[in-house]
Amino acid sequence: MNVHNELTKILPQNEIPDTNFELDEIDPITKLDLEVKKIAIERQKELEHLKNVDSYRKEYLGNVSHELKTPVFNIQGYVSTLIDGGLNDPTINLDYLKRADKSIERIIHIIDDLETITQLETGSLELEFEKYDFSAQCRDVLEQLDMIARRKNVTISLSKKFDKPLMVQADKFRIRQVLVNLITNSIKYGKEGGKTDINFSLYNDDVIVEVKDNGIGISAEHLPRLFERFYRVDKGRSREQGGTGLGLAIVKHIIEAHQKTISVKSSQGEGTIFTFTLNRV
Ligand SMILES: Nc1ncnc2c1ncn2[C@@H]1O[C@H](COP(=O)(O)OP(=O)(O)OP(=O)(O)O)[C@@H](O)[C@H]1O
Ligand SMILES: [Mg+2]
C-alpha cells in the first residue's frame, strides 16, 4: 500500500505530509517473529491432533477387547465344563455346545462390524452405485425381518406409497444394511406389541426416508453421541439384545459415504424417528 496515494484520497493536496515509505514493509525482525509464531501455532495444532488420535486409539482398543471378552469367557466356561465331565452328561452336552456356538457367532458378528467400520473410516470401501427400486428393497427387508418382529409382537408397516416403484441411485447392499439396522433397532428397543412405521417423502432430488417407532425412546442427553461407535444408551439392555453399539456408527458412515444425511429425533417413553436421505433418479 502506498501511503501517499491513500492520503490523497482523504486529504487536500497541501495537507499531505511527506511519506516516503511503504506501510507493508514490516521490519525483518517482526516478520521473523510472526513466522515463528505461526509455525508454533501449527505445531501446537498438530500435537493436539496426535493426542486425540492416541486417546481415540486407546479407547477403541479398550472397547474392542471389552466386547470380545464376554463371548470368549462364555466359550471358555462351556468348554471347561464339557472337558470336566460334562461331555458325558446328556442333559448339558449338546446344550453347552450350542451355547458356545452362539458365542462364536457373536464374535464373528463383532469382527464383521469392526471390519466394515474400518473400511468405511479409511475410505477403502468403495461404494457400488446402481439404479434400483427402493420400494422393492423395503418390502424385501420387511419380509426378512418379519420373524424377529413377530417374536416381539411388533408390527412393522410400510406406507402405501411403497406399493409403487421408487428409483434411487445408491449402493444397494449398503442401504440394505442401513434399513436392517434401523428396523432391527426399532424392534429391539420397541415396546412389546409396539409399532414401526416406514414412510418417505420427496424433496427436490432427494427421497427422505423415515423409520418411526413408538418404543422406549432415547433421552436428549444421549442423542448427540448416539452415532458414535460402541455407544449404547442402556448397555445392559443392548447387550441382552446382542448389540455392540456399532450399528448406528456403520449406518451413519454409509449414508455419509453417499454424501447424504441422517438424523434422529426422540423422546423418552414415546418413541424414536430416524430420518435419512437418498438420491432419487
Ligand atoms: N429405535 C430406538 N429406540 C430406542 N433406542 C435406540 C433405538 N435405536 C438405537 N437405540 C439406542 O442406541 C444405541 C446404539 O444403537 P446401535 O444400533 O448403534 O447399537 P446396538 O443396536 O446396541 O448394537 P448393534 O447394532 O451393533 O448390534 C442402542 O444400544 C440403543 O440404546
Ligand atoms: Mg443396532
Side-chain angles (χ1 to χ4, degrees):
M1 178 168 67
N2 184 296
V3 177
H4 186 270
N5 286 348
E6 291 304 307
L7 288 175
T8 52
K9 291 179 197 158
I10 46 173
L11 288 178
Q13 192 64 34
N14 55 354
E15 284 181 44
I16 297 176
D18 184 19
T19 51
N20 207 6
F21 61 89
E22 300 272 317
L23 258 193
D24 52 3
E25 265 181 27
I26 307 172
D27 77 276
I29 299 294
T30 316
K31 215 169 170 179
L32 197 67
D33 186 45
L34 282 175
E35 283 297 313
V36 170
K37 276 187 183 138
K38 216 167 95 192
I39 292 170
I41 290 170
E42 267 164 28
R43 287 288 166 278
Q44 189 59 32
K45 274 193 201 151
E46 236 168 76
L47 213 65
E48 293 286 321
H49 174 69
L50 287 175
K51 272 187 199 158
N52 283 343
V53 170
D54 190 46
S55 74
Y56 161 76
R57 189 185 57 84
K58 282 182 186 143
E59 195 187 309
Y60 183 75
L61 280 177
N63 279 324
V64 171
S65 55
H66 181 81
E67 288 307 325
L68 291 174
K69 245 181 209 163
T70 318
V72 169
F73 283 163
N74 284 345
I75 296 170
Q76 191 186 34
Y78 298 130
V79 172
S80 299
T81 315
L82 289 171
I83 293 172
D84 295 342
L87 199 60
N88 302 316
D89 181 348
T91 59
I92 62 158
N93 56 11
L94 188 62
D95 184 40
Y96 275 28
L97 281 174
K98 279 185 184 159
R99 287 191 202 190
D101 188 47
K102 259 231 144 77
S103 293
I104 292 170
E105 235 172 63
R106 171 124 191 78
I107 294 175
I108 293 173
H109 177 86
I110 296 172
I111 291 172
D112 276 349
D113 276 356
L114 285 171
E115 231 166 44
T116 309
I117 275 229
T118 310
Q119 285 173 331
L120 283 160
E121 285 183 357
T122 54
S124 65
L125 188 123
E126 297 253 324
L127 292 184
E128 282 173 33
F129 283 91
E130 61 179 299
K131 209 167 135 180
Y132 71 90
D133 180 5
F134 181 66
S135 288
Q137 182 177 46
C138 287
R139 294 196 297 268
D140 196 46
V141 170
L142 240 63
E143 213 172 283
Q144 186 206 329
L145 297 178
D146 188 53
M147 278 285 280
I148 310 171
R150 265 170 208 266
R151 244 180 267 149
K152 244 194 115 174
N153 210 5
V154 170
T155 317
I156 315 176
S157 44
L158 273 183
S159 142
K160 268 250 165 270
K161 292 191 223 166
F162 285 99
D163 292 347
K164 279 197 210 136
L166 173 64
M167 298 309 286
V168 294
Q169 174 86 16
D171 184 320
K172 194 173 178 181
F173 176 74
R174 298 290 160 195
I175 295 301
R176 185 183 181 88
Q177 260 185 310
V178 169
L179 287 169
V180 168
N181 190 268
L182 293 181
I183 300 171
T184 311
N185 278 356
S186 81
I187 302 169
K188 288 202 291 190
Y189 310 108
K191 290 191 188 108
E192 172 73 34
K195 246 168 76 71
T196 300
D197 290 313
I198 303 156
N199 208 335
F200 73 84
S201 52
L202 303 177
Y203 182 77
N204 295 338
D205 289 336
D206 279 350
V207 183
I208 306 170
V209 188
E210 200 179 271
V211 179
K212 177 176 164 193
D213 66 57
N214 63 350
I216 59 172
I218 303 157
S219 64
E221 82 225 53
H222 294 290
L223 292 179
R225 299 195 58 192
L226 203 69
F227 293 99
E228 285 178 21
R229 68 184 79 68
F230 298 111
Y231 195 80
R232 288 172 297 196
V233 175
D234 177 349
K235 286 205 190 319
R237 187 179 170 121
S238 162
R239 203 168 290 133
E240 205 178 279
Q241 309 280 347
T244 320
L246 290 173
L248 285 179
I250 293 176
V251 162
K252 189 164 198 245
H253 275 306
I254 292 176
I255 297 295
E256 287 180 351
H258 282 77
Q259 317 284 337
K260 295 280 125 185
T261 53
I262 178 156
S263 61
V264 57
K265 266 194 227 148
S266 186
S267 54
Q268 207 168 16
E270 284 178 32
T272 308
I273 310 176
F274 283 95
T275 310
F276 66 93
T277 52
L278 284 177
N279 259 338
R280 169 160 86 104
V281 275

